[in-house]
Amino acid sequence: MTHDLNHWSTAVEMVAAVAAKQISARELLELHLERIDAVNPLVNALVSLDPERARRAADEADKQTMSGARLGPLHGIPYAVKDTHEVKDWRSTFGSTLRSDHFPEHDELIVQRVREAGAIIVAKSNVPEFAAGSHTFNEIFGTTVNPYDTGRSAGGSSGGSTAALASGMVPLADGSDMGGSLRNPASFCNVVGLRPSFGRVPQIPNPNIFESTSVQGPLARNVDDLALLLSVQAGPTPLNPVARETPGAEFAQVDDIDLNGLRFAISVDLDGAFEVDHQVADIVTAQTGVFESLGALVESAAPDLAEAEETFRTLRAWHFQITYGELLAAHPEAFKSSLADNIRAGQDQRGLDIARAYRQRTALSQRMVAFFETYDALVMPVSQVPPFPADEEYPADINGQVQETYLDWMRSAYFISVTGCPAMSVPAGFTAEGWPVGIQIVVRPNAEHRLLQIAKAFEQATLIGDRRPSLLG
């Protein structure tokens, strides 16, 4: 077989080459396993690798190709699953020593869908303990570092996924996002990450199916590849009553869009709602010219999200308490202190506290809907800082302003989480030190298709996402 693919080829190109029998799924897998052997020791992004299991799956995929059977949209694509997503008979630790020997009996739905679409699972991607915090480290596997500077954080909690993508180890990976865990690591690693609307990517199993702060979603190196993965992850299921009815396949193709006449709001800090590193602020502000060159009307404007801080922290603590409260009580020594504090913060919450948070969240959502009657999109920072030192749990300060907890520096992401709006991190620039910085594009609820179109137009105009780390070429 002849092909011109390499580990930087797009997922769309890889799928087409496998379908055309220009490369076999096994050859494509070996190409990526070779890259993993060379690069993973440097960044520690992929964990619980099982090359032999992946080879068996690739060989089966090649049998399907040769038989003339109908091939799935991800047929033959090497794939990494976030270590908080359960894969049948595959070590799934959640980054916690309490689950270091956990081998699930079933695939969860997001895994089932990519497997049925033909993806070849290669490994799990590293996460912080129980996916808490936007820096990826745990006591089982250690710290995932940034491919652009291995002394820096890859972000989190989907940092293993984004570092693997950015270093060419896999073309597609998944993640989840409560306070920014799809967007923050995408920004840190110069890839794209989408936080979808609630119910767009249904979560099964889910102990609290109607709780909508945390969502699952796609990660990739470019918008077209991300849309391909979203087309597989998204779609209705009778197992989840809040799943969106739109078929996932409708997201597979991202049409070009003319931004001429569209109105964009741009804000560095939502009118002083949080501190932003000066270099990040400069990169975000500079994108005004990019959007204007594409014909958009850009104004400095921001929605009022005054209640977002209390709303997010209340709902997060409640979620963590009902999910991990009993486990913490039984094993207090097994949790990192910042996570334990977050769980305990939910102990004394009353029904009135939760009810107030949901009333506030409703008001925030309605205010955003009204904001998007005037503007087609909001452009703002993904993260308030560029990648910080990997030996720190979180950045100590921003422009000299002390960050007291592991959540303080993530406001630019989690303020959007509680609005219910889809948001996407897209590569936008680099600091003077060469650290990646993304912008966050936010649109009205359930407007993922429009979001993908805007992100693609920006991506094509800037080509920032094409800049690769110097890590082994």
Side-chain angles (χ1 to χ4, degrees), residues 251-281:
F251 298 103
Q253 186 69 37
V254 183
D255 300 324
D256 292 336
I257 186 175
D258 182 0
L259 300 189
N260 190 50
L262 295 187
R263 298 188 67 184
F264 283 51
I266 189 164
S267 178
V268 168
D269 58 8
L270 299 186
D271 290 340
F274 41 75
E275 190 72 20
V276 177
D277 177 270
H278 296 313
Q279 289 198 81
V280 172

Side-chain angles (χ1 to χ4, degrees), residues 366-417:
Q366 291 174 339
R367 213 172 297 144
M368 286 296 277
V369 170
F371 183 81
F372 287 123
E373 290 178 358
T374 301
Y375 298 101
D376 294 285
L378 169 65
V379 178
M380 57 182 290
V382 178
S383 302
Q384 294 159 241
V385 296
F388 55 87
D391 59 0
E392 298 178 2
E393 182 176 354
Y394 55 88
D397 71 275
I398 303 176
N399 301 333
Q401 185 177 105
V402 174
Q403 304 298 292
E404 296 181 355
T405 76
Y406 78 137
L407 294 176
D408 290 5
W409 64 279
M410 298 163 53
R411 291 183 172 96
S412 54
Y414 69 68
F415 275 28
I416 298 302
S417 296

Side-chain angles (χ1 to χ4, degrees), residues 153-445:
S153 170
S157 62
S158 309
S161 290
T162 57
L165 289 165
S167 53
M169 289 192 277
V170 289
L172 293 175
D174 57 36
S176 56
D177 186 310
M178 175 179 282
S181 291
L182 280 157
R183 294 162 287 160
N184 162 262
S187 176
F188 276 20
C189 292
N190 204 44
V191 299
V192 289
L194 169 67
R195 176 190 167 91
S197 303
F198 176 49
R200 179 68 68 205
V201 178
Q203 299 184 54
I204 296 293
N206 187 341
N208 189 3
I209 207 165
F210 294 99
E211 205 289 311
S212 58
T213 309
S214 181
V215 299
Q216 296 176 337
L219 291 158
R221 285 192 291 263
N222 65 73
V223 175
D224 281 336
D225 283 0
L226 182 140
L228 174 64
L229 179 53
L230 179 64
S231 75
V232 170
Q233 294 176 338
T237 171
L239 300 174
N240 189 323
V242 295
R244 304 290 175 185
E245 286 296 316
T246 306
E250 292 193 11
F251 298 103
Q253 186 69 37
V254 183
D255 300 324
D256 292 336
I257 186 175
D258 182 0
L259 300 189
N260 190 50
L262 295 187
R263 298 188 67 184
F264 283 51
I266 189 164
S267 178
V268 168
D269 58 8
L270 299 186
D271 290 340
F274 41 75
E275 190 72 20
V276 177
D277 177 270
H278 296 313
Q279 289 198 81
V280 172
D282 289 345
I283 289 172
V284 172
T285 301
Q287 307 319 310
T288 296
V290 175
F291 287 111
E292 287 179 339
S293 72
L294 294 171
L297 304 174
V298 183
E299 301 175 15
S300 178
D304 175 10
L305 301 182
E307 305 95 331
E309 175 76 7
E310 180 186 4
T311 302
F312 178 80
R313 297 222 181 198
T314 298
L315 295 179
R316 180 184 175 89
W318 172 62
H319 172 82
F320 274 42
Q321 173 59 216
I322 62 175
T323 306
Y324 305 117
E326 292 183 3
L327 201 59
L328 175 63
H331 306 278
E333 75 294 340
F335 287 76
K336 63 182 179 183
S337 60
S338 55
L339 175 55
D341 290 345
N342 209 176
I343 296 170
R344 294 189 182 105
Q347 287 180 343
D348 298 326
Q349 288 180 335
R350 303 169 301 162
L352 288 176
D353 298 320
I354 308 304
R356 182 175 64 254
Y358 274 111
R359 285 198 303 271
Q360 290 173 341
R361 189 172 188 190
T362 299
L364 288 164
S365 176
Q366 291 174 339
R367 213 172 297 144
M368 286 296 277
V369 170
F371 183 81
F372 287 123
E373 290 178 358
T374 301
Y375 298 101
D376 294 285
L378 169 65
V379 178
M380 57 182 290
V382 178
S383 302
Q384 294 159 241
V385 296
F388 55 87
D391 59 0
E392 298 178 2
E393 182 176 354
Y394 55 88
D397 71 275
I398 303 176
N399 301 333
Q401 185 177 105
V402 174
Q403 304 298 292
E404 296 181 355
T405 76
Y406 78 137
L407 294 176
D408 290 5
W409 64 279
M410 298 163 53
R411 291 183 172 96
S412 54
Y414 69 68
F415 275 28
I416 298 302
S417 296
V418 291
T419 68
C421 294
M424 191 166 176
S425 175
V426 187
F430 289 82
T431 67
E433 300 86 355
W435 304 326
V437 173
I439 59 164
Q440 182 172 200
I441 304 173
V442 189
V443 298
R444 62 176 175 79

